[in-house]
Amino acid sequence: MKMSSSGLKPLSLQLKKSEKMKLNFNLFSILILLLVSTFSFAQKKTPFQINGELFEVPGKWEYRNQLKQSGQFHLTNKTEKISLSISVRKPEKFEFYKEGLTEKELLNAFYKWEYDYWASSNGVKAEVSEVKRNEEKNYIIWKIIIKNAPQNDHKDQTSYLLYAVRNNNLISLNLTNNTDKKEALTETESVELLEQIYLK
């Protein structure tokens, strides 16, 4: 290829080189952003071990208390104004337990037992519905909307729950949005957070 009289490469070659540099810079920037976001996300997890099961909860969470009757450990995230209860219990302690149940049967019995309790409105007006079921990973996500909840200034309170069976343990995660935050987590965000906690 001929050089121009000034000794410079033709403009078409200069543009190609410039475009390659820009593309390389963009790819490098994306790689750095991915590394930084992955590193910072990894730094923002709070680990909790409950009855031998490890949970890594995204964000900064604090242990509040344990509800002895239900075996739930209550955690809060002050920044996001949400609370989470985690329970890990042996199935033999439940009235629905029968020897010889498969994990799937045990999960369905656990879910039905709790679902029926809330759906039967034991003094509480609640709407209950299944949100997602994962047969492969053996968990069910469902939600409870408590109408005119007294603990919530008589506003509706929505909780998303993940029920699962793992290592012969019944696991329940209960995520509740506090309503003093202007925008509560959406259903999609709630489901994603529960799955992140459970699936690690």
Side-chain angles (χ1 to χ4, degrees), residues 52-171:
E53 290 283 341
L54 177 65
F55 300 92
E56 294 178 344
V57 188
K60 187 177 179 182
W61 292 77
E62 293 177 8
Y63 168 77
R64 290 286 302 274
N65 55 24
Q66 182 185 2
L67 306 171
K68 301 231 176 200
Q69 188 177 2
S70 63
Q72 293 177 313
F73 289 79
H74 184 209
L75 317 172
T76 58
N77 182 317
K78 290 179 181 174
T79 308
E80 297 297 325
K81 299 192 184 312
I82 49 180
S83 63
L84 175 71
S85 296
I86 302 176
S87 170
V88 178
R89 293 174 285 175
K90 291 295 178 193
E92 293 83 3
K93 297 182 178 180
F94 288 84
E95 60 192 44
F96 58 80
Y97 176 76
K98 290 178 188 170
E99 201 171 323
L101 289 175
T102 66
E103 281 196 344
K104 279 194 180 9
E105 290 169 335
L106 193 55
L107 174 62
N108 285 322
F110 183 32
Y111 169 61
K112 183 182 183 318
W113 177 73
E114 195 75 64
Y115 183 100
D116 288 349
Y117 171 81
W118 286 103
S120 67
S121 99
N122 292 293
V124 178
K125 191 174 179 185
E127 289 179 10
V128 188
S129 60
E130 186 175 314
V131 176
K132 182 176 183 179
R133 186 180 287 256
N134 187 316
E135 299 285 345
E136 185 185 338
K137 301 288 184 183
N138 209 26
Y139 65 85
I140 299 169
I141 296 176
W142 55 296
K143 74 177 174 182
I144 302 170
I145 301 172
I146 299 174
K147 299 293 189 176
N148 302 315
Q151 72 273 27
N152 211 22
D153 293 328
H154 296 280
K155 295 176 187 171
D156 293 355
Q157 177 180 304
T158 303
S159 293
Y160 289 89
L161 302 96
L162 183 148
Y163 273 29
V165 177
R166 184 167 67 194
N167 302 324
N168 195 37
N169 288 314
L170 297 178
I171 296 170

Side-chain angles (χ1 to χ4, degrees), residues 1 9-25:
M1 185 174 280
K9 290 184 182 177
L11 185 59
S12 61
L13 279 182
Q14 289 177 30
L15 284 175
K16 284 181 184 175
K17 188 175 180 182
S18 168
E19 286 171 2
K20 281 183 185 177
M21 286 177 63
K22 189 184 276 187
L23 180 63
N24 286 340
F25 177 77

Side-chain angles (χ1 to χ4, degrees), residues 22-35:
K22 189 184 276 187
L23 180 63
N24 286 340
F25 177 77
N26 287 340
L27 289 172
F28 180 74
S29 299
I30 291 169
L31 180 62
I32 292 297
L33 277 172
L34 283 172
L35 288 172

